[in-house]
Amino acid sequence: MSTYPPPPAATHVASSCREHRVTARSLAARKRRGEKIAMLTAYDCAFARIFDAAGIDLLLVGDSLGNVVQGHDTTLPVTLDEVIYHTRLVARACRRALVVGDMPFGSYQVSSEDAVRSAIRLVKEGGAQAVKLEGGVVAAEAIARIARADIPVMGHVGLTPQSIHRMGGFRVQGRTEAERVRVLADAQAVEEAGAFAVVLEGMPADLATDVTRKLSIPTIGIGAGPGCDGQVLVMHDLLGLSEWTPSFVRRYADLGAQAAKAARAFGEDVAGGKFPAEEHCYKAR
Ligand code: KIV
């Protein structure tokens, strides 16, 4: 039977597991050993705890929260304060997974000083152990500056959602020869700037495989085929909580349908006076 007030946050993983915490360093070794890496997005404590206990290696507090949590059409309105808030919720739940705080639009583009300041806030106030930012050659200086502050940085190239207005929509990148050259140059610039890993988003599978072979840091793909060192999905897509999912997604559950069924059943029980029942009532002493 559940209790009220609820018990304190579960210490569901033995403290010895902390020794096996995923780190930016350990991910490099995973690539060398040819072991695949799994990353999911998370935005709150409840799901972060589930994913962490399930052995997901990295939890990304993505600026995709603008879409899946806040209901915007793009990620552009998301603020640094909002990402920090959600990162704090996720970091609190994680015992093993590496927590990556996403740097939202406007938090690193103006200057590399701004970028370091934003990254420091994600670590200090949010509890992130690494940060991610979008862009290749143009983001190299910011990546280098953040890495020099000893904050592990993940790059993100290919389809970069914060560049929606330049790209003219969420368009797959790297379909022409010129774009292929640009995506590879971006990925190499990210590695040279000192990133520990890079997300490859929305590109032909053979290009992502080529980039993965040419880089020594792990690549984490999304809509980039199986040749990457790891894969990432937005949790709402994975679990069937999105209204629409892109074609590269495999839905592993249909929680949306289950939630709707549960809510309908609850509404009917309340209307019919069937809930609460005897066993849900407190008794006088
Ligand atoms: O914001 C996000 O969730 C992301 C992933 C899709 C990689 O950047």
Side-chain angles (χ1 to χ4, degrees):
M1 194 177 123
S2 60
T3 56
Y4 189 85
T11 49
H12 60 287
V13 179
S15 59
S16 62
C17 281
R18 286 164 199 262
E19 290 154 26
H20 302 296
R21 184 139 212 164
V22 178
T23 63
R25 255 178 89 101
S26 67
L27 290 172
R30 295 272 291 274
K31 171 157 180 148
R32 287 195 296 274
R33 291 197 296 268
E35 291 170 15
K36 295 278 187 182
I37 297 161
M39 174 158 103
L40 281 175
T41 66
Y43 315 95
D44 67 24
C45 190
F47 279 108
R49 185 176 293 142
I50 291 167
F51 298 155
D52 182 62
I56 297 301
D57 300 305
L58 298 102
L59 292 187
L60 169 68
V61 186
D63 64 353
S64 51
L65 75 87
N67 305 113
V68 297
V69 177
Q70 298 175 335
H72 295 296
D73 289 340
T74 74
T75 57
L76 300 180
V78 176
T79 67
L80 183 61
D81 283 339
E82 287 164 351
V83 180
I84 289 171
Y85 169 76
H86 286 276
T87 303
R88 206 180 291 140
L89 310 186
V90 169
R92 209 171 280 155
C94 281
R95 299 289 176 271
R96 176 183 172 274
L98 181 75
V99 177
V100 183
D102 212 358
M103 299 185 63
F105 182 64
S107 70
Y108 60 94
Q109 285 89 348
V110 175
S111 70
S112 41
E113 282 70 30
D114 232 24
V116 192
R117 230 173 266 124
S118 302
I120 288 173
R121 286 196 63 202
L122 277 164
V123 171
K124 216 178 181 59
E125 299 171 44
Q129 293 139 3
V131 299
K132 176 173 86 57
L133 55 80
E134 296 182 10
V137 174
V138 292
E141 195 188 318
I143 292 173
R145 188 68 187 80
I146 296 169
R148 278 207 302 280
D150 287 340
I151 298 173
V153 194
M154 179 180 279
H156 183 159
V157 304
L159 192 170
T160 46
Q162 291 177 21
S163 320
I164 181 167
H165 298 314
R166 173 181 58 75
M167 294 184 303
F170 295 112
R171 282 185 49 249
V172 171
Q173 303 291 295
R175 280 187 161 147
T176 65
E177 193 46 38
E179 280 186 3
R180 287 180 77 92
V181 170
R182 188 176 56 77
V183 170
L184 177 59
D186 278 340
Q188 284 172 327
V190 163
E191 169 162 316
E192 278 157 27
F196 74 96
V198 60
V199 169
L200 305 182
E201 177 165 358
M203 65 183 69
D206 68 314
L207 173 58
T209 303
D210 193 31
V211 172
T212 300
R213 288 200 186 119
K214 289 188 166 119
L215 296 192
S216 56
I217 58 173
T219 61
I220 314 283
I222 175 159
C228 302
D229 298 306
Q231 298 292 327
V232 55
L233 283 179
V234 170
M235 58 157 278
H236 289 64
D237 293 340
L238 173 101
L239 298 176
L241 290 166
S242 309
E243 281 186 326
W244 169 87
T245 47
S247 61
F248 61 79
V249 167
R250 180 180 292 162
R251 267 190 184 196
Y252 285 84
D254 199 358
L255 295 197
Q258 279 183 262
K261 194 171 160 202
R264 264 195 307 273
F266 170 69
E268 282 162 17
D269 280 358
V270 170
K274 292 188 186 146
F275 178 83
E278 174 88 38
E279 67 268 28
H280 307 121
C281 299
Y282 291 117
K283 311 277 181 284
R285 279 180 200 269

